[in-house]
Amino acid sequence: ILQEFVEDVKEEVAFEDDADGGVFPEIHAAVSAAGAEQSGLCVASNAEQGVWGVGLAHGHDGRMRAAKLALGLAMCQNQGKLEEFAQKYPEFGRMCASAGLVEMPAKRRKKGGW
């Protein structure tokens, strides 16, 4: 998803890993207040578009993947393309639908059969 909006993730996206809450204590507090399990987080941001996303996971690699997805989601919302990408990428669409961000169309029933 993210690579649909930036050509070079390494050049255009800044990642700040915060495994223990020392860098972004206010985000850790908000995550705790929301009832999420305590884990590390990573903030991914794109200064050019003024968008950021937060990924939560216990391991560094998981936090990086989650942050990329969160930033991609934020960019979709920022550019009004959430519905389009939910259709284009079905797993992303299901994730967005489960969060109440989009409504997925009902599955078509196959004609014929029993």
Side-chain angles (χ1 to χ4, degrees), residues 71-91:
L71 181 58
L73 172 65
M75 288 180 160
C76 280
Q77 288 182 307
N78 190 45
Q79 296 186 22
K81 295 186 175 188
L82 199 53
E83 295 283 340
E84 173 187 337
F85 277 67
Q87 295 297 320
K88 186 174 182 180
Y89 300 102
E91 287 184 37

Side-chain angles (χ1 to χ4, degrees), residues 94-109:
R94 285 190 292 277
M95 180 194 74
C96 292
S98 71
L101 299 174
V102 299
E103 287 188 33
M104 295 300 290
K107 290 185 178 182
R108 293 183 186 173
R109 301 183 100 199

